[in-house]
Amino acid sequence: MRGKELIIALSISLGIAVAILSLPDILEPIAHKILLVLGIYWPLAIFIIGIVHGLKPDEHTWPITVSYGIMQRNMKGAIVSTSVFAGALTLVWASLSALTGQLLSFFQNYNLDPIVDVIVGLTMIGVALIFIIKGKDKVVDKDNNPDYKLIWIHGLAAAFGGDFIVILLLTIALSTLISVNVTFLIGLLFGIGSWIAQSIVVLLIYKGLVKGVKANFQILAKAGRLSLLFLGIFMIGLGILSSLTG
């Protein structure tokens, strides 16, 4: 069965890598247009922007949550793992959007994308190796879910990716329209929108793999661990390449 696991993992990793590399950075211009169109309906605008973010493949959306999702025994587990990761993102974004301009100058003056890519890649490799070394299906049992703790930590690290500057820019843009006491809603709504979009993508891929590949849980779980490892290596390479060419 090792051949089947490897093929699934390589297929997932390659497809995700191609998606990440082929899609340009579209979130910021789209966010600007949506905000201009909806104007006073800014909560709806932020929510829609979050959905766009969740659909856009990068180092903190469905390319990561898919790998975690297919490690789970069922679709409920896939949703829980996605929620843990996206929930960590949402917590960080909501907290930091409340700080608005205090961090803006730092993120504008330094290109953190390559550093974040490397950190996220190392985190992914570390998590994948823990799963592979343990090699026990009990990590996803109902009463023993240490993988969720690791997914949560990974989500916290990934929250500082390139799209975080978009949240800060949105916060600054809206700071003249709303009270500073509710700026946390910007990161919160953005995160919830991204959360929902990622959950839909993960469910569709999980269901498609189960039906299309006709693989049992053990095969999908091992394939998910391998794909996480491969994608971690890819993210480190992407970060190093970005730093050298930037």
Side-chain angles (χ1 to χ4, degrees):
M1 289 294 184
R2 289 186 178 275
K4 195 169 187 178
E5 298 158 5
L6 186 60
I7 291 173
I8 295 173
L10 286 173
S11 300
I12 294 172
S13 302
L14 181 60
I16 290 174
V18 170
I20 292 174
L21 293 174
S22 62
L23 189 64
D25 189 6
I26 61 171
L27 185 61
E28 190 171 336
I30 287 179
H32 180 70
K33 290 180 180 178
I34 292 175
L35 201 57
L36 281 178
V37 171
L38 292 179
I40 60 173
Y41 304 105
W42 64 266
L44 177 60
I46 299 299
F47 179 71
I48 294 174
I49 294 167
I51 290 177
V52 174
H53 171 265
L55 295 175
K56 181 176 73 72
D58 60 26
E59 74 278 5
H60 45 240
T61 57
W62 61 264
I64 309 304
T65 48
V66 162
S67 294
Y68 286 127
I70 64 174
M71 295 181 199
Q72 311 304 316
R73 290 186 179 277
N74 48 45
M75 287 191 288
K76 180 182 178 181
I79 285 295
V80 171
S81 64
T82 301
S83 299
V84 170
F85 184 87
L89 296 176
T90 302
L91 176 64
V92 172
W93 290 336
S95 299
L96 292 180
S97 66
L99 299 178
T100 56
Q102 295 183 32
L103 294 176
L104 183 62
S105 60
F106 175 76
F107 281 93
Q108 282 182 322
N109 293 330
Y110 297 94
N111 180 17
L112 299 181
D113 285 359
I115 298 175
V116 172
D117 286 344
V118 172
I119 292 175
V120 169
L122 288 171
T123 306
M124 292 168 68
I125 291 174
V127 172
L129 288 177
I130 290 174
F131 289 159
I132 291 171
I133 291 172
K134 285 186 175 181
K136 296 179 180 179
D137 295 336
K138 68 177 183 180
V139 297
V140 292
D141 284 349
K142 182 178 180 181
D143 296 322
N144 188 7
N145 291 312
D147 56 330
Y148 293 154
K149 296 177 183 177
L150 296 174
I151 293 170
W152 176 260
I153 294 172
H154 185 181
L156 293 176
F160 295 92
D163 290 334
F164 176 64
I165 185 62
V166 176
I167 300 173
L168 287 179
L169 291 173
L170 289 171
T171 304
I172 293 299
L174 290 169
S175 61
T176 57
L177 300 176
I178 64 178
S179 168
V180 69
N181 295 325
V182 297
T183 53
F184 75 93
L185 287 174
I186 296 172
L188 180 63
L189 291 170
F190 182 92
I192 292 174
S194 179
W195 186 336
I196 292 173
Q198 290 184 64
S199 297
I200 292 172
V201 173
V202 169
L203 275 181
L204 290 174
I205 293 178
Y206 186 95
K207 191 173 181 179
L209 280 173
V210 171
K211 285 190 175 181
V213 181
K214 293 182 174 64
N216 59 31
F217 161 71
Q218 286 78 11
I219 292 176
L220 284 181
K222 291 176 182 178
R225 295 163 189 165
L226 288 174
S227 66
L228 191 66
L229 177 65
F230 297 153
L231 286 169
I233 296 172
F234 165 75
M235 293 306 302
I236 291 176
L238 183 62
I240 293 174
L241 180 63
S242 298
S243 64
L244 293 176
T245 58

